[in-house]
Amino acid sequence: MLFIARFIDKPGIAEKRAELLDTHFAWLDDNRDKVLIAGALKESLEGPGQGSIWIIEADNRAEVEQVYQSEPFFANGLRERVEIYYYIKANADRLVTI
């Protein structure tokens, strides 16, 4: 089953986010079997990250929550909130590689 996780960062964490970025990328690489796609949300290309959106493959919402608990931004208190949605893909037979 696919889920979308939308992470909203706390204000004023840009410096800490930058410090953890390499660790965050390594975590995403280590968890690529569950976190299929991940990317930052920004209000402008030059601006700081405001959060992120992930597409996660999991059996249920509890598993989604378990996946992101050890993610460095979440584990270090940078996330203000997390929203989890079931993702029902339109055109399920259409394969897309980003």
Side-chain angles (χ1 to χ4, degrees), residues 14-53:
E15 186 175 318
K16 186 67 172 174
R17 191 178 205 278
E19 289 173 18
L20 293 170
L21 195 58
D22 288 340
T23 305
H24 167 75
F25 286 149
W27 184 94
L28 286 172
D29 191 48
D30 289 345
N31 290 276
R32 67 180 171 264
D33 62 321
K34 292 288 181 188
V35 181
L36 306 180
I37 297 175
L41 297 172
K42 294 183 167 196
E43 291 183 7
S44 69
L45 289 176
E46 302 79 24
Q50 303 292 311
S52 62
I53 290 182

Side-chain angles (χ1 to χ4, degrees), residues 59-80:
D59 292 332
N60 51 52
R61 289 177 65 93
E63 186 178 345
V64 171
E65 293 171 1
Q66 184 178 18
V67 167
Y68 68 73
Q69 296 292 320
S70 63
E71 184 265 327
F73 292 168
F74 185 86
N76 285 280
L78 277 63
R79 305 296 196 184
E80 184 170 85

